[in-house]
Amino acid sequence: MRSKQLVDSPSDAPWITRLVVVPGVDGAVGIAGFHGAPDDAGMVEVGYRIAPEYRRRGYARRALETLLSVASTSAEVQIVRATISPENHPSRSLVEDYGFKEVGEQWDEEDGLETIFEVAARGR
């Protein structure tokens, strides 16, 4: 999906998915990034996924912190969004720890029902 996105929107390249690497671990433990460049309203959506065997070690937290730092230093970004399955309690708890507030719901063709969370890019 992201490969096609790069072909269609090359300007998204600096924003999209990156590998989550940890010193001392061979290979990536997951992926994290934005779904694309900021939209016209200055919103970016974060996404992260840690491989099951590496979960509950703080890697998603560190990935989210990195993404929030990137967003906060970009003058283009005003709002950071995360969309999370209602059943994904660890991820919901994580974003709430960083000040994200529930602002609605959406239906995603790939992931089903998602809760939308948002936080200001600066001044959390």
Side-chain angles (χ1 to χ4, degrees):
M1 175 175 69
R2 298 295 174 214
S3 296
K4 181 179 180 334
Q5 180 180 357
L6 283 175
V7 171
D8 295 343
S9 301
S11 62
D12 283 353
W15 293 95
I16 62 170
T17 308
R18 304 148 189 205
L19 297 175
V20 177
V21 294
V22 176
V25 175
D26 290 335
V29 300
I31 58 172
F34 301 95
H35 290 206
D39 67 12
D40 293 340
M43 187 275 296
V44 291
E45 184 174 340
V46 295
Y48 48 85
R49 183 174 63 242
I50 303 300
E53 64 270 26
Y54 294 109
R55 291 181 184 158
R56 309 302 299 165
R57 299 183 192 186
Y59 300 145
R61 179 171 299 278
R62 184 67 181 124
L64 180 59
E65 289 172 355
T66 299
L67 295 172
L68 289 170
S69 177
V70 169
S72 74
T73 60
S74 172
E76 300 172 77
V77 179
Q78 303 303 311
I79 298 290
V80 180
R81 175 178 285 179
T83 57
I84 302 169
S85 165
E87 291 81 31
N88 188 341
H89 300 290
S91 192
R92 293 170 65 93
S93 178
L94 175 61
V95 299
E96 288 170 348
D97 285 350
Y98 287 88
F100 283 76
K101 302 293 183 203
E102 186 175 330
V103 297
E105 293 181 335
Q106 69 180 19
W107 183 263
D108 182 86
E109 290 299 321
E110 187 175 321
D111 298 324
L113 181 64
E114 297 176 324
T115 305
I116 303 168
F117 293 88
E118 292 183 346
V119 69
R122 288 168 282 292
R124 290 184 317 255

